[in-house]
Amino acid sequence: MLNIEEGKIKQFLQQNNPYALGKLLREIENRPESSHRIMRFVYGYGGKAHVIGITGPPGVGKSTLIEKLAGHWAEQGLEIGVLCIDPTSPFSGGALLGDRIRMQNLTESDRVFIKSLASRDAGGGMPIYAFDMIKLFEAFGKDIVLVETVGTGQLEFRISEVADTVALVTGPGTGDAIQTIKAGIMEIAELYIVNQSDRPGSEETVRDLKMMVSESVGKRWVPPVLETTATKKRGITELSEELSRHKKYLESSGLWQERRRERNRKFFTRLLFEHCWQKINKHINHDQEIRDKISQVEQEKCDPYSLLHEVLSATLKIDG
Amino acid sequence: MSENIKVVMAKLGLDIHWRGAVALTRMLRDQGMEVVYLGNQFPESIVRSAVQEGADVVGLSTLGGNHLTLGPKVVEMLKEQGLDDVLILMGGVIPPEDIPKLKEAGIAEVFGPESKIETITDFIRNNVA
Ligand SMILES: Nc1nc2c(ncn2[C@@H]2O[C@H](COP(=O)(O)OP(=O)(O)OP(=O)(O)O)[C@@H](O)[C@H]2O)c(=O)[nH]1
Ligand SMILES: [Mg+2]
């Protein structure tokens, strides 16, 4: 299915079934440039999904939590999309996408659709087309979209740039969790979860997180700190209630709209950046004159600013 | 051909002993493929996962016993779902006399426990739609 046709895209969107969603997601995953063709039709469909990021260090129980949460919501009749992003091996370019093994019970439900995605060149973050995939889930009528990532992305596209609510999961005894949050390595979250609370050290981690959170007193949303044992389904109802409470908070404060606008604008800026850079880079590679000048810049025979203006006016036709 | 081959790998039914599926999953990753590992699953769930993941390849591992019923069932159900271009492979302990029956049912190839990883990846690369 090289270069999916317009008719096919429209047909898939109208079909609105798992087969069609699977095909469109695969198309973007396989050839990210096909977003250009697909997404034009997706935006008309609107969407109201609550996008929830579940992030945190490897092995703390993110997938197990998602299984229990999504199962809980599916029982209530909600439609759930799950996007699990796992790191690509820097050595082979391949990836082991192993989150589904903890979500086996979900595969039996018609209400839950799970897509596993390799991070590819986004390292610990998420590829930019994850944004499009979430929009596709929305267009296919999902009420809630859960996004699992390993929260180490610093410079990459971050979970907070796609999610309405970010929940950070840690385990007991990970005193470093707080260090990494403070150092800005881990995301700032709207909700903190101490999972594996059946293991020793849980109270201490909860206490530390609560102390950290108390510094945000005076803000209108004080992040709750929750204890869960995902494997035993403990704390799931409370977690789901807190997530809904955050959604209501966003809606009633006007932040829901505001943040989505900001998100859309940021995404557009990001797209512009990526495509302008690609275009300019391509031009530079084909223009011997500019390449010569770059080597002059290397040797400090030409200053970078003069060359910058020259390249800009040659490629973007904007008077720089 | 797909730029990044996506494989959905499952242990068929209740076979829990054969570790080959996990090892093979890692090896395929090391060959540059993106492999979704499902663990033990019955045909219905395997097919549902393949639809959601957009699988190019479905790999089924078995210790034998259930391969003649569950294997062809996966093929049949994938076709019902409209996924007729998915490459379906089987691996594990399978009596040689059953292999023709499996192929007739639509399993593209059967790999025994002694198969080399290169044989498997070459087969996948040459046969993915
Ligand atoms: N004791 C205990 N084990 C848990 C709990 N939640 C999850 N686990 C176990 O922790 C291991 C990792 O769980 P996952 O859900 O795969 O964790 P993850 O954060 O998604 O892991 P990655 O995707 O690899 O980063 C599994 O063996 C789970 O069974 C819990 O509440 N208590
Ligand atoms: Mg996981």
Side-chain angles (χ1 to χ4, degrees), chain B residues 44-117:
Chain B
E44 193 160 303
S45 294
I46 296 170
V47 170
R48 205 168 255 171
S49 304
V51 169
Q52 295 173 357
E53 297 292 351
D56 299 310
V57 181
V58 169
L60 305 170
S61 99
T62 170
L63 263 182
N66 57 19
H67 56 281
L68 278 183
T69 48
L70 298 186
K73 183 126 193 255
V74 171
V75 180
E76 194 184 307
M77 290 179 72
L78 277 171
K79 283 212 179 101
E80 268 169 36
Q81 290 294 314
L83 297 187
D84 30 26
D85 53 355
V86 176
L87 190 67
I88 306 160
L89 308 176
M90 267 185 126
V93 188
I94 292 166
E97 63 269 26
D98 288 345
I99 294 177
K101 291 178 216 161
L102 290 170
K103 287 195 173 174
E104 201 171 315
I107 305 282
E109 191 54 274
V110 178
F111 296 98
E114 311 295 319
S115 303
K116 287 211 176 76
I117 181 68

Side-chain angles (χ1 to χ4, degrees), chain A residues 3-169:
Chain A
N3 269 331
I4 188 165
E5 308 149 22
E6 268 185 23
K8 201 84 198 167
I9 296 169
K10 286 185 190 160
Q11 190 192 326
F12 281 151
L13 284 166
Q14 268 151 20
Q15 277 176 352
N16 198 350
N17 59 23
Y19 171 82
L21 179 54
K23 283 283 184 190
L24 288 174
L25 289 170
R26 177 62 182 146
E27 189 65 28
I28 292 179
E29 178 184 36
N30 212 10
R31 275 179 290 275
E33 67 276 14
S34 58
S35 278
H36 293 238
R37 303 170 68 84
I38 295 171
M39 297 314 288
R40 283 187 289 157
F41 300 105
V42 172
Y43 274 75
Y45 283 72
K48 51 169 179 38
H50 184 194
V51 183
I52 301 171
I54 305 285
T55 187
V60 290
K62 300 179 292 294
S63 302
T64 315
L65 269 172
I66 289 176
E67 183 192 54
K68 300 303 186 283
L69 266 177
H72 177 82
W73 286 320
E75 269 173 33
Q76 297 174 358
L78 296 171
E79 295 282 333
I80 316 294
V82 182
L83 186 62
C84 297
I85 305 168
D86 279 321
T88 287
S89 152
F91 306 106
S92 69
L96 203 169
L97 310 172
D99 298 308
R100 282 192 95 109
I101 191 160
R102 308 275 170 229
M103 303 184 186
Q104 295 204 355
N105 291 330
L106 293 181
T107 318
E108 278 149 39
S109 171
D110 276 325
R111 298 195 187 281
V112 185
F113 187 111
I114 307 168
K115 173 78 178 175
S116 313
L117 191 64
S119 68
R120 304 216 179 131
D121 48 14
M126 57 170 70
I128 188 164
Y129 44 85
F131 190 88
D132 294 331
M133 292 183 161
I134 292 166
K135 275 270 182 294
L136 266 179
F137 273 127
E138 286 198 293
F140 276 74
K142 303 300 169 208
D143 299 297
I144 296 172
V145 180
L146 289 153
V147 186
E148 174 178 342
T149 59
V150 177
T152 51
Q154 276 196 82
L155 301 169
E156 300 93 353
F157 202 45
R158 303 181 73 156
I159 187 77
S160 50
E161 288 173 75
V162 302
D164 300 302
T165 306
V166 175
L168 181 70
V169 189

